[in-house]
Amino acid sequence: MGILSYIRQEIRVVRERDPAIKSNLEVFLYPSFKAILHYRVAHRLYLKRHYFLARWISQRTVRKTGIEIHPGAKIGKGLFIDHGSGVIIGETAELGDNVTLYQGVTLGGTGKEKGKRHPTLGDNVMVSAGAKVLGSFRIGENSKIGAGSVVLKEVPPDCTVVGVPGRIVKMGDQKIPRMDMDQVHLPDPVSNDIRELQADNIRLHKRIKQMEKQMRCMRTQDIEVLDKSSAEANRQNGRN
């Protein structure tokens, strides 16, 4: 893809997914625009085995934008990095088309393993702010990763992942369109578990109250029986 084609594509992508943009010229001010443009150049150098020069471009880009994309990563069309500060994409990461990343996202490895050690993201995947995807597994097409989640295992297509560690929450078979930028209204299984525990606690509290009431009634009845027995015994002793 030539530089003019890339610029036209990036303008279209940013205007689709960022409601804050007011003009095409603003695209040139976006850190993600600069970072991805420099990545495209560095990636070509990397493929030609000019590793030092590729990393030099990459590291200069990090200092200017706060976005670190290893030149060895494979990135499809339409990547959009919103704000972008703190975003890290590892050497063997692979991103499909129309992927969206927010600030603080890490697509990293889990150690010093060799070969493929970073995640693969399918088409139309959205990774929300602060999420970490660590390991050499796949995030299926049209999936969402919730803000602050830590994903350590494979995610099927058309799913949402939330929590630490990340847990899959099915969203039916409906595909998530690439323009869906909602990071907030995602299922929260932790909150659901807390609500269930609270409901169980209320039920147990009511049950204990009922048992206490029954025990008080039983004690009252036992006292009345004892009083009657004592009175009867006193009457018998009086007759004797």
Side-chain angles (χ1 to χ4, degrees):
M1 178 186 295
I3 184 67
L4 293 178
S5 298
Y6 166 74
I7 292 173
R8 283 194 292 267
Q9 174 187 284
E10 193 66 11
I11 290 173
R12 177 178 56 80
V13 168
V14 173
R15 299 214 67 143
E16 275 182 358
R17 294 183 235 176
D18 190 352
I21 191 169
K22 301 297 188 295
S23 69
N24 291 345
L25 287 177
E26 288 183 57
V27 172
F28 295 93
L29 303 177
Y30 275 58
S32 63
F33 172 80
K34 299 174 184 177
I36 298 170
L37 177 60
H38 292 160
Y39 156 77
R40 301 294 183 191
V41 175
H43 183 62
R44 290 184 180 181
L45 292 170
Y46 186 88
L47 295 177
K48 294 178 180 179
R49 299 182 180 271
H50 299 304
Y51 299 127
F52 177 82
L53 186 55
R55 289 300 300 273
W56 182 76
I57 294 173
S58 174
Q59 293 306 306
R60 281 179 57 86
T61 304
V62 175
R63 291 194 294 271
K64 291 182 178 180
T65 66
I67 300 171
E68 182 173 354
I69 306 176
H70 194 286
K74 298 178 182 178
I75 298 177
K77 299 177 181 179
L79 171 64
F80 178 59
I81 304 176
D82 195 13
H83 297 289
S85 180
V87 169
I88 299 174
I89 302 176
E91 178 186 14
T92 60
E94 299 180 27
L95 282 65
D97 295 338
N98 305 313
V99 170
T100 301
L101 307 178
Y102 285 86
Q103 64 271 21
V105 166
T106 298
L107 305 180
T110 57
K112 295 183 178 180
E113 66 269 29
K114 302 295 183 180
K116 183 77 166 74
R117 58 191 186 279
H118 299 101
T120 297
L121 276 57
D123 297 343
N124 306 320
V125 169
M126 188 190 80
V127 186
S128 300
K132 314 299 177 186
V133 185
L134 308 175
S136 57
F137 51 84
R138 182 178 180 83
I139 305 297
E141 291 77 9
N142 310 306
S143 290
K144 278 186 175 182
I145 309 300
S149 299
V150 178
V151 185
L152 302 173
K153 59 184 180 180
E154 185 167 349
V155 177
D158 307 313
C159 289
T160 298
V161 175
V162 297
V164 180
R167 293 192 287 176
I168 297 173
V169 182
K170 287 285 186 180
M171 295 186 70
D173 296 326
Q174 294 183 354
K175 292 186 177 181
I176 302 169
R178 70 179 184 180
M179 292 179 64
D180 183 359
M181 306 292 286
D182 187 0
Q183 302 182 77
V184 178
H185 300 97
L186 303 178
D188 187 352
V190 175
S191 178
N192 293 339
D193 290 344
I194 291 173
R195 283 196 294 269
E196 290 180 4
L197 287 172
Q198 289 174 336
D200 288 340
N201 184 57
I202 292 172
R203 285 194 292 268
L204 287 172
H205 184 72
K206 290 181 179 179
R207 184 72 182 274
I208 291 171
K209 287 291 186 182
Q210 292 175 353
M211 293 177 65
E212 288 178 345
K213 185 177 181 180
Q214 292 174 354
M215 291 176 67
R216 284 196 296 269
C217 292
M218 292 175 64
R219 282 199 296 268
T220 302
Q221 292 174 358
D222 290 341
I223 291 171
E224 290 177 354
V225 170
L226 288 173
D227 290 342
K228 289 181 181 179
S229 298
S230 297
E232 184 65 25
N234 291 332
R235 283 196 296 271
Q236 291 294 333
N237 290 331
R239 292 174 184 174
N240 294 330

